[in-house]
Each structure stands twice: as structure tokens, then as C-alpha cells.
Amino acid sequence: MTRQLNGSTTGETVRDARARALAGLDPSRWPTKLPVRDRLAVLLDPGSWVEDGLLANAGKDGLPADGVLTGVGRIDGRPVAVIAHDYTVKAGSWGELSCEKQIRILERADRDLLPVVYLVDSAGGRLNDQMGFFPGRRGASRIFHLQVRLSGRVPQLCCLLGPSAAGGAYMPAFTDWVGMVEGNASMYLASPRIAEKVTGERTTLEEMGGATMHATVSGCGDEVFGTDGEAIAAARLLLSYLPDSFRDKPAAVPGRAPEQQTWPEGLVPADPNVSYNVLDVIDRIVDSGSFFEIKSGWATEMVTGFGRVDGEVVGFVANQPSVRSGAIFVDSADKAARFITLCDAFNIPLVFLQDVPGFMVGVAVERQGIIRHGAKLVTAMASAEVPRFTVVLRKAYAAGYYAMCAPGFEPRATLALPTATIGTMAPEASVNAMYANRIAAIEDPDERADFIARRVAEQEAEMNLLRMGSDLVVDAVVEPADLRAELIRRLADASGWERTPGRRHHHVSPV
């Protein structure tokens, strides 16, 4: 026996409405996008999806599920809350009921400590329902409030598969990771048409809010993918590096040998002016194929990402000498600070790989606030209670040495490769700073060169690695081939760490 929907004037039954909501609308206008329920099938374990609010709006406007699917499913057996916008229903826009559905699933995630995965594809709020979604206690502001309340308590991962417009653009911004699909995904507070009316500026959607721009310029996106399926698969993989909540530690898996097991001579060149790729070092530390880089296309003078070391999840923060000599700029300071807070929120030990000439200097970066941004990095690093380990690969100069977890910030250990040098600045720069007037006064070129060479030798002796070990600046000097084994032992020794009792747990700060 079937029953009519309350208020229905068409005679449609609950069963009819349910079937219509499950069928959704025609996605054929968007051939490069997966239908929303196909997206869920890629994301979740088969048969695990339990949906709420399927009949939302069925008795009013007849919009299938009111344009958003909410519920709980499983990823590798782990329960996760899901919000998935249906781009075929009023472009996935938010009305009163779609806001209510999103609020309810986020409240459940907050109550039950469930990770949240967002499949975002929304044109923003429905202007014909603005009193429903905009000003009240159960509108869009409540969604954002819950996202911030969840931050640092449970992982929040976003696959941005279409637009995320106007105020709705903040939904991805409050998550821990945003994977964007090239050509479809966009994030913007106002469309190019509105921007032109307000500012007179003419632009394109891709230039102003496209995937590549956000992943390489603004830093709002973490990675760019070619298809919906690739972005969703990456979110599934990333979740395997994260615990269910701040109360847990990430699950370990059986360890694997590194993909690269030998250290060629000169992999880390002794000459501080010679470039190399720090990813080649990371590949020799982490288990084969396990490095998951975060924000790989943004602020590339800094590398951040998760890897497994003998099966255990570790966060890596590394200077990249092949990009701008590995100096720390405004964006790279923000990138590292955010990643550190993410690792600390979810109990992931940190390894800092130092090869840093310092913070960038000059008029431009001072005006951008390099001191303020550098302070954010230092604060995040110093506040992290997870076990921290520092490895000086080569140069460790100036305040960059501090920001990358110098001994004064209490890492569990400061290790150094034989190529390491620690000092306020490079010997040549130090000599030129100390003796500038005297050097300028020496007229004979050979005499001047001899004077500089002798003073540089004195500075190099002052920064000698043997002295650093003798004075307990470094805890151990490790041969490159032994670095992975050294870190495995030290990570194991720190595995029983606990937080300071009563410490307030923190959110994950936006960039």
C-alpha cells in the first residue's frame, strides 16, 4: 500500500517521490562530470551508503533530494560523513532544506567524531530562497560554524568537482585538503561578470578562480586532477594517512623498503650553491610509493607531505634547494605552518629536512609581511606537541634554521648529514658583512682575494660540523645511507608520547 505525500496535489506517492529522487535529473549536459551517485560509488565501499533526507523538497518544489546528498558511508571500512552536491538540481545551489541537510550531517559528524568528505559542485545560494539559506540560525553561516568546530577534531577532505561560488566558496576553504578537477572546478566570491560590474576588471573564470590558479597561485587548492574519479581516489588515499579523530593516531601498515635504497655520491652536494631535488632524499627515507605531497604546485620552495616510515605515518617539512635555493618566502611560511598544525591536530610526528639559506629578504617581501608570516611558521612549529625530528641536510642559516625546528625548539633529536653547515649566514656573506669597509680599502686585487679567503676559512672553522657535535648542537652525525634506519629507531622510541594534560586542542588554521 502506498501513501500520498502530505500537501501533494499531483497524487504522487512516497514511493514515486523516492524513485524520482534516486533517479535525479539528466546529467548528460555535463559529459565530463560523473553523476552524483556515481561519485559516491567511487568514494565509498560498496553497499555502505546510508542516506538521510532523500525526500527533502519532494512535497514542495519537487527538487530531487533538494540538490544535495547527505549521509554516512564507509571508506576501507571506516565510517565517514558525506556531503555531495547534485549539480543537475539547480546547479547544486543551496536553499533552506539543503542547508538543513548539510547542517544535520555536520552535527552528526561533530557528535560521533566522523571524518567528513565533501563532494562540492554548487553555484552557491538560491537567490529566490535567500530568506531560507542566508540570514537565520540554520542557514549557511551555521554550516561554516560547524566546519570550524570540526576543524582539528576530525579530518575534513574536499573534492571540488565543479563551482564553489560566492559565500559557498568558503566550504572548501574550511577543509583540510582540496582536490580540484581541471576545467570543471572553480572557487570564487563573485563571477567574472559581477567582478566587472563592481571593479571594471575583465577576466575569465579560469584566470580568476580555476583549478590551476588556486593550486599554484592562491594556495586555496591542494592538487589538480584530470577527472572526478582521480580526485575522489586521492581523497580516499589521503584518508588512509589520517586518524578518525584527534583522539586517535593514524593506523600503521606493514612497512616496505624505500623505492630508492642507495645514496649516490653527491646526491646532497657538498657545495651549498649547487642545486638538487629534496624529493630524491625523501624517496630514500619513506616506504616505497608512500609519499603523498600536499600543495605540490604552490610555494614550491617548500615541500610538505605525508609518508610512511616502516609503516608509520610521518609528516615531512622540507626546504627545496632546486627552487629559489630553498629560501622561505611568505607563501612557503604559510604552507609549512598550515601543514604543521594539521599534523599536530591528528597526532602525526614531524620530520624537518633543513637546507635553508634563511628567509627571503628585500623590499617586496618586507611589504608582504615576511616577519608576520614567518612568526606564524615559528609559532606553529613551536606549538606542535607531536614528536619532532630535525635533519640538517646541508645549509642551515639565519632565522630559517630556527623556523625549521632548531634545537632551541626542543625537537626529539637534531641530526646532521656530513654535508651540514649551521650558522647565522654563509661564510662568504658573513665575511663581507663583518669586513666590508676593510675589504673596500684593499686596493690590490690579489691581496683583497687573499684577505677574503683567510677570513672565510676562519668562518668555516667556526661552523665546523665536528664542533657542532662536540658542543651538543647536533645529537648525531649520520651517514646518508643510515638516515632512514636512524629515524625508524628514533620514531619508535617516541611512539609512547602523550600531550600535555589539559591542553586545548586546536583547529587547523587556514593558509
Side-chain angles (χ1 to χ4, degrees):
M1 180 177 178
T2 59
R3 300 173 59 190
Q4 287 189 339
L5 288 169
N6 292 335
S8 172
T9 59
T10 64
E12 184 179 51
T13 66
V14 171
R15 185 174 293 168
D16 293 337
R18 184 174 181 276
R20 184 164 53 82
L22 286 169
L25 299 180
D26 183 11
S28 62
R29 289 173 51 198
W30 300 270
T32 62
K33 293 185 178 184
L34 286 176
V36 65
R37 293 190 183 275
D38 289 358
R39 290 170 172 174
L40 289 178
V42 175
L43 176 69
L44 301 172
D45 298 348
S48 68
W49 175 238
V50 179
E51 186 170 351
D52 294 321
L54 176 63
L55 294 179
N57 216 326
K60 186 180 178 184
D61 299 323
L63 300 176
D66 205 42
V68 62
L69 279 54
T70 59
V72 174
R74 292 181 178 268
I75 295 177
D76 294 328
R78 299 166 59 186
V80 297
V82 180
I83 289 173
H85 300 130
D86 187 347
Y87 60 88
T88 70
V89 180
K90 285 194 174 292
S93 59
W94 297 3
E96 180 178 5
L97 294 177
S98 49
C99 279
E100 179 66 24
K101 288 177 67 174
Q102 293 176 94
I103 289 166
R104 290 187 185 188
I105 193 62
L106 292 174
E107 287 173 337
R108 179 172 175 186
D110 187 44
R111 181 178 65 246
D112 296 346
L113 288 181
L114 299 176
V116 185
V117 179
Y118 303 80
L119 304 182
V120 175
D121 194 339
S122 172
R126 294 177 199 157
L127 296 182
N128 64 340
D129 191 15
Q130 62 178 294
M131 292 306 294
F133 82 84
F134 181 67
R137 290 179 174 84
R138 303 290 287 184
S141 62
R142 174 66 175 165
I143 294 173
F144 302 149
H145 182 195
L146 287 164
Q147 285 190 276
V148 173
R149 195 158 84 183
L150 286 164
S151 184
R153 287 167 50 78
V154 299
Q156 298 184 84
L157 308 180
C158 174
C159 296
L160 188 48
L161 310 173
S164 182
Y170 283 100
M171 175 171 271
F174 291 127
T175 66
D176 301 321
W177 177 86
V178 181
M180 302 180 70
V181 175
E182 183 69 54
N184 289 337
S186 59
M187 251 189 294
Y188 52 89
L189 296 181
S191 68
R193 181 174 58 84
I194 293 175
E196 182 179 353
K197 286 185 175 297
V198 173
T199 68
E201 182 180 35
R202 292 190 175 187
T203 185
T204 66
L205 184 58
E206 283 298 314
E207 183 181 22
M208 186 171 71
T212 297
M213 189 284 289
H214 279 306
T216 61
V217 179
S218 78
C220 292
D222 284 87
E223 203 61 64
V224 178
F225 299 94
T227 66
D228 291 3
E230 291 172 1
I232 295 168
R236 280 184 61 105
L237 176 59
L238 176 55
L239 189 64
S240 70
Y241 291 84
L242 299 169
D244 290 336
S245 78
F246 73 99
R247 293 177 176 170
D248 307 314
K249 294 180 180 179
V253 301
R256 298 196 301 265
E259 187 171 338
Q260 302 292 337
Q261 298 185 46
T262 60
W263 283 72
E265 185 71 26
L267 179 72
V268 177
D271 185 343
N273 298 313
V274 175
S275 167
Y276 68 96
N277 190 343
V278 77
L279 291 171
D280 292 336
V281 173
I282 294 173
D283 282 346
R284 286 163 171 80
I285 297 173
V286 302
D287 297 3
S288 177
S290 72
F291 189 60
F292 191 108
E293 191 168 356
I294 302 294
K295 296 188 184 299
S296 65
W298 183 61
T300 53
E301 64 274 7
M302 185 77 76
V303 172
T304 57
F306 300 110
R308 291 189 180 273
V309 179
D310 199 30
E312 301 286 345
V313 178
V314 176
F316 287 86
V317 180
N319 307 114
Q320 177 56 286
S322 66
V323 180
R324 303 202 280 193
S325 300
I328 302 173
F329 287 73
V330 166
D331 284 347
S332 45
D334 285 353
K335 174 179 175 176
R338 175 177 168 83
F339 182 73
I340 290 165
T341 63
L342 177 63
C343 290
D344 189 50
F346 295 119
N347 309 312
I348 298 171
L350 283 157
V351 170
F352 293 81
L353 300 178
Q354 288 207 24
D355 195 336
V356 59
F359 283 87
M360 188 58 189
V361 298
V363 173
V365 291
E366 294 292 357
R367 290 186 175 186
Q368 291 166 4
I370 188 68
I371 296 170
R372 174 169 52 86
H373 291 270
K376 286 165 61 177
L377 168 54
V378 172
T379 299
M381 176 273 298
S383 301
E385 288 199 305
V386 295
R388 291 175 283 127
F389 300 87
T390 298
V391 181
V392 182
L393 301 176
R394 194 172 55 173
K395 56 188 180 293
Y397 297 154
Y401 168 58
Y402 285 0
M404 293 293 291
C405 199
F409 293 97
E410 298 183 338
R412 297 298 180 101
T414 300
L415 310 178
L417 297 191
T419 44
T421 304
I422 300 171
T424 53
M425 61 181 69
E428 294 84 355
S430 178
V431 167
N432 280 293
M434 293 172 63
Y435 301 104
N437 293 335
R438 189 167 175 184
I439 291 171
I442 302 175
E443 296 182 0
D444 181 77
D446 293 336
E447 183 182 349
R448 186 188 310 119
D450 179 67
F451 176 84
I452 293 173
R454 285 186 284 114
R455 300 289 87 80
V456 166
E458 291 171 359
Q459 290 292 304
E460 288 175 341
E462 183 76 10
M463 300 159 65
N464 180 276
L465 186 57
L466 179 59
R467 177 175 178 178
M468 295 297 170
S470 176
D471 292 349
L472 300 184
V473 173
V474 299
D475 296 294
V477 178
V478 182
E479 292 297 325
D482 300 328
L483 180 57
R484 171 180 158 90
E486 182 84 13
L487 286 171
I488 287 173
R489 289 190 293 269
R490 291 182 181 271
L491 285 161
D493 291 344
S495 62
W497 73 277
E498 294 183 354
R499 293 192 180 274
T500 302
R503 178 182 183 269
R504 181 180 68 85
H505 210 75
H506 61 77
H507 65 285
V508 177
S509 176
V511 170

